[in-house]
Amino acid sequence: MSAVAVGPELPPDVDRQVDGLAPAELAVGVLTYNNAATVPAVVEAVRGGLEKHFTGARAVLINADAGSSDATVDRLADSGLPFVRARHEAPAAQLGAVPFHGVPGRGAALRLAVAVARRLGARALLVLEADVTSITGDWLERLLRPVLEGGADLVMPIHARHRYDGTITNLVLAPLVGSLFGRRLHQPLSGPRALSTRALERLGTEPRWPESGRSTTDLWIAGTAIAEGLSVHEARLGRWRVESSTRSTDLPTMVAQTLGAVFAVMEDYEDLWLPTTNWLAVPADGPPALPSDEPVQIDVERMVGAFTRGLRDLGTIWEHVLAPDTLGDVLSLGADDVARFRFPDDLWARVVYDFALGYHWSVVYREHLLRSLVPLYLGRTAAYVLATRPRDAAASEEALGVVADAFEREKPYLVDRWR
């Protein structure tokens, strides 16, 4: 008979499966939706990581699936590990247009995984993405060891990427989330993570889980952990490679979905971020690695051109979203000479905050607001590339730290206008 924890009831079929299992030390949750082509690599890494780093520890594999129509679930069930199959409901809109993280109804999947791990009495829950094929067995050790031995309650990932890859995260999401919650998380919306028993208990009894259909649960978990004083760590996992047939690669859609998720958390959970006035370092485990400095072609002229077209075509939207002083500063950015184009950090922070405020006050249709940020984002990215390209990867990292400083410094600008 499995360990019993008080909390939300599991679906009857999942409840029966859990009752048939012995308590487990480790729970590994894999969230899926039509990932039959990639889950074998994930299963291999899980088995290898458990055998190499956690010999003798009883582990259970939890599959929270959004209704896959391929062989995804069967391939996970054949892992050779004790297995819990848990299908969850997913909003029809997300089944038709899968969110940026690749799993419709991801919040429901996470809640199921947390509930099953609690019932099993797990000391740690590891959450993995089914379409990230760069996973290795060492990821398990780097994510779980800080929970099992280092006192961590939530371990978030740091992926090694090219210094100009992931600029939506580096220039928008990471500094924004860091300023909101008081912790500089490198990849706040990335899927892999590990949670302690204490975090599972806290989340398992929390009545304010985000409602289904909003891609806000990952960020809400991080914000809740920080607000509750739980210990948050990061783990350096190495390179990140995803092979997905469902995730969107359309830039406006990605910006709208990811930034919209952050803005929705700000809207629904003010108490998690409004009081934050101090910023603490996040311990990072694993061997440090600078971003790749391999030469790549970055078309800054195209990006600056998109920014210039935005000035011409989106002025009527930006007039509603940006404060007059902010809009005036944006309009004064000289884009005629691409090589000399600059976009100051403090101005960029105020731009993003104005978009958060515009979303909050619904100054224009929210989808239009979110997508209209894209030319501004491309201009800021071009300025970042122009400023750091003559320098090395370490200097690029330092420049991102300066961006984060600006967001933290400008947070009173946001708070004063929020209420």
Side-chain angles (χ1 to χ4, degrees):
M1 186 76 172
S2 64
V4 176
V6 177
E9 292 186 1
L10 293 171
D13 63 316
V14 178
D15 190 68
R16 287 191 296 272
Q17 294 176 67
V18 175
D19 273 345
L21 295 172
E25 184 175 4
L26 303 176
V28 180
V30 183
L31 317 185
T32 59
Y33 182 61
N34 290 332
N35 304 117
T38 55
V39 289
V42 177
V43 169
E44 182 180 354
V46 169
R47 282 199 306 249
L50 292 173
E51 292 170 3
K52 179 179 178 181
H53 299 290
F54 302 102
T55 303
R58 178 170 172 79
V60 170
L61 183 62
I62 305 166
N63 176 213
D65 184 74
S68 295
S69 57
D70 60 9
T72 295
V73 178
D74 292 337
R75 291 181 180 177
L76 282 166
D78 291 340
S79 66
L81 295 168
F83 182 68
V84 174
R85 180 191 315 238
R87 177 168 176 169
H88 62 86
E89 293 299 321
Q94 291 196 352
L95 290 170
V98 180
F100 62 92
H101 45 62
V103 179
R106 181 179 169 90
L110 285 166
R111 193 168 192 178
L112 260 179
V114 166
V116 172
R118 288 186 71 228
R119 279 282 302 276
L120 292 168
R123 290 181 58 201
L125 167 65
L126 174 66
V127 177
L128 297 175
E129 296 171 295
D131 56 4
V132 176
T133 55
S134 54
I135 183 173
T136 70
D138 290 341
W139 284 26
L140 276 72
E141 197 270 339
R142 292 174 187 172
L143 287 163
L144 287 170
R145 193 71 68 189
V147 170
L148 298 174
E149 300 177 5
D153 294 302
L154 173 65
V155 183
M156 299 287 290
I158 303 176
H159 296 296
R161 305 169 81 169
H162 191 278
R163 61 173 170 163
Y164 298 136
D165 189 19
T167 50
I168 294 175
T169 296
N170 293 339
L171 291 173
V172 188
L173 302 178
L176 174 59
V177 171
S179 70
L180 295 176
F181 295 147
R183 301 292 188 280
R184 291 189 183 182
L185 300 172
H186 286 75
Q187 271 104 26
L189 291 182
S190 186
R193 61 194 58 210
L195 298 102
S196 71
T197 299
R198 186 161 67 147
L200 293 174
E201 291 301 312
R202 176 64 186 83
L203 296 171
T205 56
E206 170 59 59
R208 297 197 307 159
W209 278 75
E211 63 187 57
S212 179
R214 308 191 77 179
S215 299
T216 57
T217 304
D218 289 275
L219 193 57
W220 171 80
I221 287 174
T224 299
I226 293 167
E228 291 290 325
L230 302 185
S231 177
V232 179
H233 287 218
E234 290 183 307
R236 302 183 184 96
L237 299 183
R239 67 195 182 98
W240 182 85
R241 183 181 66 250
V242 63
E243 297 178 20
S244 174
S245 60
T246 59
R247 298 194 192 208
S248 173
T249 58
D250 176 65
L251 178 60
T253 299
M254 291 172 61
V255 169
Q257 289 186 351
T258 55
L259 197 60
V262 181
F263 289 170
V265 169
M266 294 172 65
E267 185 82 3
D268 296 342
Y269 302 99
E270 294 180 349
D271 58 303
L272 298 183
W273 65 270
L274 271 174
T276 302
T277 57
N278 63 317
W279 291 271
L280 302 176
V282 178
D285 302 286
L290 284 173
S292 168
D293 211 11
E294 181 182 350
V296 295
Q297 292 295 323
I298 306 291
D299 192 347
V300 292
E301 288 192 8
R302 181 188 62 82
M303 289 190 283
V304 174
F307 169 77
T308 303
R309 289 191 297 276
L311 292 175
R312 182 191 67 209
D313 300 336
L314 296 172
T316 54
I317 293 180
W318 291 353
E319 285 175 359
H320 291 286
V321 177
L322 299 176
D325 289 348
T326 306
L327 179 60
D329 289 342
V330 168
L331 293 174
S332 69
L333 295 176
D336 294 336
D337 184 353
V338 171
R340 297 171 62 85
F341 180 72
R342 297 293 181 267
F343 201 133
D345 296 320
D346 288 349
L347 174 58
W348 175 236
R350 292 198 308 275
V351 164
V352 175
Y353 285 151
D354 278 345
F355 271 77
L357 291 162
Y359 184 98
H360 175 56
W361 295 113
S362 297
V363 297
V364 296
Y365 180 60
R366 284 176 167 175
E367 186 73 11
H368 293 166
L369 177 146
L370 292 165
R371 289 174 177 268
S372 76
L373 181 69
V374 171
L376 292 160
Y377 154 73
L378 289 172
R380 182 61 188 89
T381 302
Y384 170 65
V385 173
L386 288 166
T388 59
R389 191 160 53 184
R391 304 157 70 191
D392 60 16
S396 298
E397 285 288 283
E398 292 173 7
L400 294 177
V402 174
V403 175
D405 290 339
F407 273 76
E408 292 166 7
R409 190 166 53 247
E410 294 291 332
K411 185 177 179 182
Y413 174 93
L414 170 67
V415 173
D416 290 346
R417 291 160 177 78
W418 187 264
R419 290 173 169 167

